[in-house]
Amino acid sequence: MDNDRYDPQNDKGIYYLRTTAEMTVNDAARPSVTQIVNDAVAQCGQETDGSEYDMALWLHDWTLDQLEYDHSLNWCSAESGLTRHQGTCESYQRIYSKLLDAAGIANGRITGNGHTWNAVKIDGKWCQMDLTWDDTNDNWYGDLDQRHLYFGLTDELMAIAHSDHTANYQKGSYAYRSTDLSNNYFVRNGKADEWAEKYADRIQEHLNAKEESFSIDADNQSFPPSISGIQNGIVAHAMNC
């Protein structure tokens, strides 16, 4: 109740009542965002081995299955993404973050080049995930699975796609330093070793021929730099392991 007795305009004893109302709507056909997230994480727990890597990958793929990129740029929240199934990069990042939070997996938000994506901590190591750029069913680049190209990258490799990120991770206060590719999708599924083996065989041929200097053409030299640069970094990691 609000009655200011010192207000000269309030000489008629007028009272103002302020109330706050909370409303809960139960409709199985329209579950809440919290319920959608919790159901997804529960399903994830049933369909994976429960490891942080497998859960992060399952939730990544689940998010991509829910969303279409909103080119009109009208929808940018987790709520719009999970109910309207449309959203910008903000929706992808926020949905994945909610899922990871519910699964107990540490994560963070990173921005650069007018874009946002996730940092995810798997088995004590930070890595980078860009679900927006992974959301494609195209396969323009041979045996490179583009739907997982940006899953488990280092800071340096993510900066190939998002140049502003170089300034991010060079700051002393940066909290999500990602320098390890052990949880990269292609490293974990063995594809990186297959790519590296092709180069290793060609290198060995030159060595067997006792050539003092030689060069080898990259298999992906026709790919855009944002694709080939990342793939080459993954191959280099596999060859050094």
Side-chain angles (χ1 to χ4, degrees):
M1 305 292 282
D2 183 3
N3 178 19
D4 187 351
R5 60 181 178 173
Y6 298 109
D7 183 353
Q9 301 298 319
N10 190 14
D11 57 357
K12 301 186 183 333
I14 297 175
Y15 291 83
Y16 299 91
L17 177 64
R18 294 180 173 87
T19 64
T20 299
E22 294 185 4
M23 180 172 61
T24 301
V25 177
N26 294 315
D27 184 347
R30 295 174 177 80
S32 68
V33 168
T34 299
Q35 188 63 54
I36 294 172
V37 168
N38 289 341
D39 287 349
V41 172
Q43 184 181 354
C44 175
Q46 294 172 355
E47 297 184 7
T48 68
D49 62 9
S51 68
E52 290 185 339
Y53 175 84
D54 278 359
M55 293 186 73
L57 178 59
W58 192 98
L59 294 170
H60 167 281
D61 292 355
W62 184 90
T63 301
L64 300 194
D65 290 341
Q66 305 306 305
L67 275 170
E68 291 290 336
Y69 189 82
D70 176 25
H71 293 282
S72 68
L73 307 182
N74 287 326
W75 311 109
C76 62
S77 67
E79 289 74 18
S80 63
L82 290 172
T83 57
R84 297 176 183 272
H85 303 288
Q86 297 182 59
T88 63
C89 60
E90 289 282 358
S91 293
Y92 286 84
Q93 186 276 321
R94 291 176 181 181
I95 290 171
Y96 195 41
S97 181
K98 283 182 176 292
L99 292 166
L100 293 170
D101 285 344
I105 299 174
N107 64 95
R109 179 176 183 268
I110 301 177
T111 61
N113 299 89
H115 185 56
T116 184
W117 63 93
N118 301 82
V120 183
K121 198 173 190 179
I122 299 176
D123 297 330
K125 300 175 182 178
W126 285 105
C127 58
Q128 311 282 302
M129 315 283 196
D130 189 339
L131 278 70
T132 310
W133 280 38
D134 269 343
D135 193 12
T136 177
N137 290 318
D138 296 324
N139 185 24
W140 298 339
Y141 305 110
D143 64 350
L144 176 61
D145 178 0
Q146 295 163 242
R147 204 169 190 247
H148 297 96
L149 179 61
Y150 302 94
F151 185 97
L153 297 184
T154 61
D155 288 312
E156 288 187 358
L157 292 185
M158 187 62 81
I160 293 175
H162 310 307
S163 57
D164 285 359
H165 188 48
T166 300
N168 285 339
Y169 73 81
Q170 289 181 347
K171 295 177 182 177
S173 59
Y174 179 60
Y176 310 118
R177 197 162 309 284
S178 307
T179 60
D180 188 279
L181 279 173
S182 60
N183 287 311
N184 175 264
Y185 176 78
F186 301 108
V187 171
R188 291 288 294 250
N189 73 2
K191 200 65 182 179
D193 288 332
E194 289 182 25
W195 296 332
E197 187 175 349
K198 295 177 182 178
Y199 288 106
D201 289 343
R202 277 176 273 174
I203 291 171
Q204 191 61 51
E205 288 177 6
H206 290 281
L207 294 175
N208 291 342
K210 301 185 184 300
E211 295 180 30
E212 294 183 1
S213 64
F214 57 88
S215 63
I216 296 174
D217 291 334
D219 293 335
N220 58 10
Q221 56 186 323
S222 64
F223 297 179
S226 61
I227 305 289
S228 61
I230 292 174
Q231 185 183 25
N232 289 342
I234 296 169
V235 170
H237 167 82
M239 295 186 74
N240 289 327
C241 289

